[in-house]
């Protein structure tokens, strides 16, 4: 039987990739953020996952405002990274796990979700940067991936309650998967930030702490706010917390926090990292 070894959550700000590319990890602006990752790497080296089920949002490589699915699941054998115009290097291609993807998709449909299935999909900084943070300098990524995309861009957005339910559907699929893989759940994005409009630069430490404090033991607490209230509390791009909420659902009903890091700001973003194990 497959085993869920835990969950890794982190921000995916493009500027992080720039800092890695420049070797700026020890600069005062960046060091408090990068100091949060030795524990992540130690933990991953210890649990040795084979597969990563990843919840993130697309930034225009696959979908744009004219065609924006609420939920999309990659069902490909590999996922190439592409140039997004940030001046970042092209990261390594990720190897997929198509049979597991289809198993998850079938469970989602049985649970009355209607995901877009993508047998051809690109990955952007939402995955490539968290992977580079977790496995720096790797010649190839040590896990196969199942990418699950959530719309955090074009309204109407899915509710936090719906995203948690989506994650729990994925958990059911992983529990019934007959393979022997060790699976890590990854959620990326956020936390609070707004990049445009009158509130550009907005961050909310209090809301971020609420999310970090409750995600482990009471993820349903994060679903009590409407999506519009989450936008107010977290910023227009801070709704990427939906990815974290879905990933928490996929981990399972009980969890134990083993590490967290929080640093503000990075490129107008409150950046956070969290490690959870199933309890």
């Amino acid at each position: 039987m497959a085993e869920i070894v835990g969950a890794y959550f982190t921000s995916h700000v493009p500027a992080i990739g720039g800092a890695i590319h420049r070797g700026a990890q020890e600069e005062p602006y960046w060091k408090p953020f990068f100091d949060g990752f030795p524990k992540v790497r130690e933990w991953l080296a210890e649990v040795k996952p084979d597969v990563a089920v990843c919840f993130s949002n697309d930034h225009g490589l696959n979908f744009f405002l004219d065609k924006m699915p609420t939920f999309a699941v990659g069902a490909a054998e590999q996922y190439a990274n592409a140039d997004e115009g940030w001046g970042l290097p092209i990261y390594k291609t990720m190897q997929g796990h198509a049979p597991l993807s289809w198993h998850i998709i079938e469970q989602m449909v049985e649970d009355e979700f209607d995901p877009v299935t993508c047998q051809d999909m690109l990955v952007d900084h939402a995955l490539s940067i968290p992977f580079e943070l977790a496995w720096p300098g790797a010649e190839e990524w040590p896990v196969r991936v199942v990418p699950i995309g959530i719309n955090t861009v074009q309204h109407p957005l899915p509710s936090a309650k719906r995203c948690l339910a989506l994650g729990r559907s994925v958990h059911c699929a992983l529990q019934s998967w007959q393979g022997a893989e060790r699976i890590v759940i990854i959620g990326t994005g956020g936390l609070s930030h707004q990049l445009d409009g009158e509130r550009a630069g907005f961050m909310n430490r209090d809301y971020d702490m609420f999310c970090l404090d409750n995600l482990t033991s009471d993820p349903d607490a994060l679903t009590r706010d409407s999506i519009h209230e989450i936008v107010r509390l977290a910023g227009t791009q801070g709704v990427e917390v939906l990815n974290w909420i879905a990933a928490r659902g996929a981990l399972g009903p009980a969890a134990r926090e083993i590490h967290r890091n929080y640093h503000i700001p990075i490129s107008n973003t409150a950046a956070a990292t969290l490690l959870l194990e199933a309890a």
Side-chain angles (χ1 to χ4, degrees):
M1 297 291 290
E3 178 187 0
I4 301 173
V5 298
Y8 159 49
F9 308 77
T10 197
S11 303
H12 61 224
V13 183
I16 297 168
I20 295 171
H21 188 52
R22 297 191 310 275
Q25 294 93 327
E26 293 298 313
E27 292 180 1
Y29 182 82
W30 288 104
K31 183 174 170 54
F33 172 75
F34 283 99
D35 281 351
F37 286 90
K39 178 64 177 178
V40 173
R41 296 162 191 157
E42 292 169 8
W43 178 78
L44 288 167
E46 178 183 343
V47 300
K48 294 181 173 60
D50 306 299
V51 178
V53 176
C54 308
F55 295 83
S56 63
N57 53 292
D58 182 74
H59 297 85
L61 284 187
N62 299 286
F63 313 112
F64 198 60
L65 301 182
D66 57 343
K67 298 178 182 69
M68 182 64 68
T70 302
F71 303 119
V73 183
E77 291 295 344
Q78 63 179 21
Y79 304 92
N81 185 225
D83 184 5
E84 302 173 66
W86 296 105
L88 303 177
I90 301 300
Y91 293 98
K92 296 174 282 293
T93 293
M94 296 180 178
Q95 300 305 310
H97 193 323
L100 180 55
S101 290
W102 284 112
H103 180 73
I104 290 171
I105 290 164
E106 288 172 359
Q107 181 69 56
M108 285 184 178
V109 173
E110 183 176 331
D111 291 336
E112 300 186 344
F113 290 92
D114 302 298
V116 170
T117 57
C118 303
Q119 297 180 63
D120 183 20
M121 189 184 226
L122 296 169
V123 293
D124 65 17
H125 67 271
L127 288 190
S128 58
I129 287 174
F131 271 55
E132 188 66 29
L133 289 165
W135 294 286
E139 292 186 6
E140 59 183 29
W141 302 125
V143 293
R144 290 185 288 170
V145 303
V146 175
I148 301 174
I150 296 176
N151 172 28
T152 66
V153 176
Q154 174 81 316
H155 287 261
L157 305 180
S159 69
K161 182 178 180 180
R162 186 69 169 159
C163 291
L164 184 59
L166 178 85
R168 287 170 172 163
S169 176
V170 172
H171 179 74
C172 288
L174 297 178
Q175 283 190 307
S176 64
W177 177 248
Q178 295 301 303
E181 294 91 341
R182 294 170 62 80
I183 299 170
V184 63
I185 310 298
I186 296 179
T188 85
L191 287 177
S192 65
H193 63 298
Q194 180 153 330
L195 305 179
D196 50 11
E198 293 182 359
R199 292 203 308 168
F202 172 82
M203 287 166 276
N204 185 346
R205 182 185 182 93
D206 289 342
Y207 181 70
D208 293 338
M209 290 301 106
F210 166 80
C211 292
L212 291 169
D213 290 342
N214 285 280
L215 195 69
T216 303
S217 59
D218 187 14
D220 287 281
L222 278 67
T223 72
R224 293 167 192 155
D225 292 314
S226 70
I227 197 65
H228 293 94
E229 183 66 4
I230 293 174
V231 169
R232 187 187 71 80
L233 290 167
T236 51
Q237 284 75 38
V239 291
E240 290 174 347
V241 73
L242 295 177
N243 302 330
W244 289 49
I245 292 169
R248 175 61 187 87
L251 178 59
R256 178 176 67 91
E257 180 180 323
I258 56 177
H259 172 67
R260 76 162 74 173
N261 185 54
Y262 182 82
H263 178 58
I264 192 170
I266 287 178
S267 185
N268 289 338
T269 302
T273 302
L274 183 68
L275 279 181
L276 301 181
E277 286 184 335

